[in-house]
Amino acid sequence: MSTKHSSETQPLSQPLSQPLSQPLTQALRLPNGNVLRNRLAKSSMSETLGTYANHATPKLVELYRRWASSGIGLMFTGNVMIDRRALGEPGNVVIEDESDLPILQQWARAATDQGAALWVQLNHPGKQSPKGLNVSNLSPSAIPFRADMAAFFETPREVTTEEIHDIIRRFGRSAAICKKAGFSGVQIHGAHGYLVSQFLSPHHNQRNDQWGGSPDNRRRFVMAVYAEIRKQVGADFPVGIKLNSADFQRGGFTEEESMATIHALAEAGIDLIEISGGTYEAPAMGGAFHQAQKATTAAREAYFLEFAEKVRAKVSVPLMVTGGFRTAEGMNAALRSGALDIVGLARLLAIDPDAPAALLKGRDSPHRVRPITTGIKPVDRLGIMEVLWYTLQLGRIAGGGNPRPNESGLTAFLKSLMKSSWGNFRTRRLRA
């Protein structure tokens, strides 16, 4: 089903009480007519607050109720998987049937009853899943991880054509269930090295059939996933994507290919594109990437703003940029530039869940995102603490408490290691 849209992505007119100097507070009408109450969004972070049988829990309801109460306009859930056989982590929520509809409805209402939009991020990990969690991992091609990660991630098997069609149908089915549950939209996770990203990358996708071998063929999977979702949810239900600007990996997905993919998705009628970058093997949200970008992004804050400007010159689809934003003025300045329509925040909301209330009034959060290290060089080189440390903070908020912004990276790593080991064991036992 084609749902092509025009360049009608201008914000709704605002009451005079909302100053133009604070574009964060302005509403945004999406191409399909849905309205976001402001330009501030919570980007996806993996919560791992599902059960080890992969069901949603009341903790997710509490977590998103807390964030929604801050006044934020849009939130994306963490990784929600479309297939219980393909998990990214222990504790992932899986939506593949309607068995959890009551708790999913509670989760959706935790945000929507307070005026916030909540979109479910739908994902398939492909090869990017810890060794031993799944019976086997698949990818477009059987390309192993780099040598220092081989102990953590097994070499995947090549996905079959029949399996590709099954995965596409599962994306659509999961999206339809999300709509029935009352969520505000869905987002395809096409970034950070997961399956959709793997199909797009010439490094991970070395197939010679219709699903690989050329940029057009590598795009075929994501376009088919989008088309299937749109067929199952209709034209009025928002569908977005999180997409890498580049993989930052030799022989990987380039800016030029990303631009071509964005153009194709915009033509097909996608409602929102979130720009990000990197993979597990080449993380782009912290560590070395952050240090390398400091000189050029200190003033403008956002990591991917220059790429967003290039995209904006080509397409009118609403754009969201996540990564690097620190101050209310930096966020408002980026919006005033016209390069993006929505400011995405992630890690700040894990250490200050009430930050949006201040930012929407033009005030900065008193907290700052900092590099998280353990002092264990092999662990720190992997960059995994940029996920594990923050996941622990989410658990505290979900339990009705407050995060610990000064928690030791080493302490967090040891807690996470024990939790992950137990989670892998319990997940495998439940499948036995």
Side-chain angles (χ1 to χ4, degrees):
M1 177 185 298
S2 174
T3 55
K4 291 186 180 182
H5 58 71
S6 67
S7 59
E8 297 296 324
T9 60
Q10 298 301 312
L12 297 174
S13 50
Q14 297 298 303
L16 293 177
S17 60
Q18 292 187 346
L20 294 177
S21 62
Q22 299 289 331
L24 271 178
T25 64
Q26 296 175 4
L28 177 70
R29 187 187 299 277
L30 298 176
N32 62 13
N34 282 259
V35 177
L36 304 177
R37 64 180 175 183
N38 58 54
R39 307 299 186 90
L40 195 57
K42 177 246 157 208
S43 187
S44 180
M45 290 181 283
S46 183
E47 313 98 350
T48 61
L49 290 172
T51 69
Y52 291 135
N54 310 113
H55 302 291
T57 65
K59 286 187 175 182
L60 288 162
V61 178
E62 175 61 29
L63 177 61
Y64 282 82
R65 181 180 289 121
R66 173 77 180 270
W67 276 326
S69 70
S70 71
I72 199 164
L74 171 63
M75 295 183 289
F76 295 94
T77 71
N79 279 334
V80 169
M81 299 300 169
I82 59 167
D83 188 341
R84 192 163 274 104
R85 300 167 301 177
L87 305 176
E89 304 151 285
N92 281 151
V93 171
V94 176
I95 299 178
E96 58 181 3
D97 56 41
E98 297 184 11
S99 60
D100 283 344
L101 200 58
I103 187 68
L104 294 176
Q105 290 170 329
Q106 292 179 44
W107 189 4
R109 288 198 303 269
T112 58
D113 284 355
Q114 299 186 77
L118 179 55
W119 295 19
V120 176
Q121 185 186 76
L122 297 176
N123 194 12
H124 187 297
K127 67 192 285 186
Q128 207 161 255
S129 180
K131 184 178 288 188
L133 179 61
N134 300 317
V135 173
S136 66
N137 293 332
L138 52 79
S139 188
S141 302
I143 308 300
F145 279 79
R146 68 183 196 222
D148 64 332
M149 299 184 75
F152 304 98
F153 300 95
E154 65 188 23
T155 298
R157 63 177 178 82
E158 181 172 299
V159 63
T160 67
T161 300
E162 182 179 352
E163 288 172 324
I164 289 172
H165 288 294
D166 177 65
I167 292 167
I168 291 167
R169 287 191 294 269
R170 284 174 175 273
F171 269 102
R173 173 63 174 156
S174 297
I177 296 167
C178 292
K179 180 180 180 180
K180 186 172 183 178
F183 288 99
S184 312
V186 294
Q187 182 190 54
I188 302 163
H189 198 337
H192 299 172
Y194 294 107
L195 186 64
V196 173
S197 177
Q198 289 163 34
F199 266 97
L200 288 168
S201 167
H203 171 74
H204 299 289
N205 183 353
Q206 298 181 18
R207 302 174 73 96
N208 295 313
D209 61 5
Q210 64 175 326
W211 303 102
S214 71
D216 285 344
N217 282 355
R218 289 194 296 273
R219 278 195 293 276
R220 191 183 303 276
F221 181 73
V222 68
M223 299 307 296
V225 166
Y226 171 72
E228 180 66 21
I229 290 175
R230 184 60 76 194
K231 182 176 77 173
Q232 295 212 35
V233 302
D236 298 331
F237 188 70
V239 180
I241 189 167
K242 185 169 193 168
L243 194 70
N244 278 355
S245 61
D247 284 349
F248 308 107
Q249 188 171 21
R250 186 185 299 274
F253 191 55
T254 64
E255 281 198 4
E256 292 73 21
E257 289 185 79
S258 180
M259 190 74 73
T261 303
I262 288 170
H263 188 268
L265 288 164
E267 284 293 303
I270 203 148
D271 294 298
L272 176 65
I273 295 174
E274 179 185 3
I275 296 170
S276 190
T279 70
Y280 275 22
E281 293 183 270
M285 302 305 287
F289 177 86
H290 177 69
Q291 295 301 321
Q293 295 292 308
K294 260 188 175 179
T296 57
T297 63
R300 304 180 78 193
E301 298 189 3
Y303 294 158
F304 306 108
L305 193 54
E306 289 184 8
F307 181 72
E309 290 170 339
K310 296 175 187 177
V311 174
R312 173 56 76 230
K314 300 290 185 180
V315 301
S316 61
V317 63
L319 299 178
M320 173 176 161
V321 175
T322 301
F325 286 110
R326 300 184 301 279
T327 66
E329 178 50 35
M331 297 172 201
N332 282 308
L335 289 168
R336 284 193 293 269
S337 77
L340 64 151
D341 303 282
I342 300 173
V343 168
L345 299 176
R347 291 175 291 177
L348 177 62
L349 299 186
I351 57 176
D352 184 3
D354 305 312
L359 293 167
L360 290 166
K361 294 177 182 177
R363 300 197 303 265
D364 298 339
S365 167
H367 298 282
R368 286 287 181 270
V369 172
R370 61 184 176 88
I372 305 297
T373 58
T374 64
I376 305 171
K377 290 183 179 180
V379 172
D380 293 339
R381 278 198 300 268
L382 292 175
I384 58 174
M385 294 314 300
E386 296 297 330
V387 175
L388 299 182
W389 188 91
Y390 290 95
T391 300
L392 282 182
Q393 309 312 317
L394 300 188
R396 294 194 174 97
I397 301 169
N402 290 308
R404 298 177 185 170
N406 297 317
E407 184 168 18
S408 155
L410 180 58
T411 299
F413 172 69
L414 295 174
K415 289 179 180 177
S416 298
L417 186 63
M418 288 187 289
K419 180 182 177 183
S420 178
S421 299
W422 175 247
N424 281 351
F425 171 76
R426 289 292 298 144
T427 300
R428 290 195 299 269
R429 284 294 298 272
L430 287 167
R431 287 176 171 168

